[in-house]
Amino acid sequence: MGYVLRAAIAGHELLRAASRDVPGAGVAPLRQGLSLMPMTDEVFDTITDGSPAGSLGFWRLPAGFEELLARWSAAGPVAYVEAEYFGGVGEQHAAVWAHGGVVLGPLRVEEGQAFGSAGSPISQALRRLGVVADAATDEFATVGLDRHRSSEGWIA
């Protein structure tokens, strides 16, 4: 079975307020005061502005969404994360915006690469959002990103 995640993650109130202007957006709570807004097909189509895709190297970051994330980050840090795994093999990408600009990343671990000593790209981004990992696990599992296997599963 596979795992696919493409989402913006931020503090619950920040993301709830910011997503009100995104038709079709759903926000799902995570632990430690965070929430995520999955990048569904509907949200992607709503957000994309038709310009060329950005230079951050994400698979599914809508054109123009980088500017929106930068605006949202004036109210607090916002991460955009992507993960895709099948049979334990896959990739992760993450970046964090704060104060109107990228402050972490883009981070990328491709298929076949091991996570560095700092952890996975998504765990590093979550740390930048203030997540403190449980003693027995990483930031990814601590906030509950392992609860659903697909982006759409978060709003089903």
Side-chain angles (χ1 to χ4, degrees), residues 85 92 107-110 112-124 127 138-139:
Y85 287 89
Q92 278 192 25
L107 305 173
R108 175 185 206 122
V109 172
E110 297 187 25
Q113 291 181 320
F115 297 148
S117 60
S120 75
I122 293 176
S123 286
Q124 291 179 60
R127 232 177 284 132
D138 65 1
E139 293 80 4

Side-chain angles (χ1 to χ4, degrees), residues 58-152:
F58 288 95
W59 301 303
R60 190 138 170 93
L61 182 69
F65 193 41
E66 294 173 40
E67 289 79 22
L68 187 56
L69 290 167
R71 284 198 308 272
W72 290 356
S73 76
V78 180
Y80 182 75
V81 302
E82 294 181 340
E84 189 166 321
Y85 287 89
F86 188 81
V89 177
E91 298 184 23
Q92 278 192 25
H93 307 244
V96 177
W97 286 256
H99 310 291
V102 175
V103 295
L104 179 70
L107 305 173
R108 175 185 206 122
V109 172
E110 297 187 25
E111 187 174 319
Q113 291 181 320
F115 297 148
S117 60
S120 75
I122 293 176
S123 286
Q124 291 179 60
L126 292 170
R127 232 177 284 132
R128 190 65 185 245
L129 297 180
V131 172
V132 177
D134 296 334
T137 188
D138 65 1
E139 293 80 4
F140 187 97
T142 296
V143 299
L145 287 175
D146 53 352
R147 287 192 327 236
H148 298 285
R149 309 286 304 165
S150 71
S151 297
E152 289 78 10

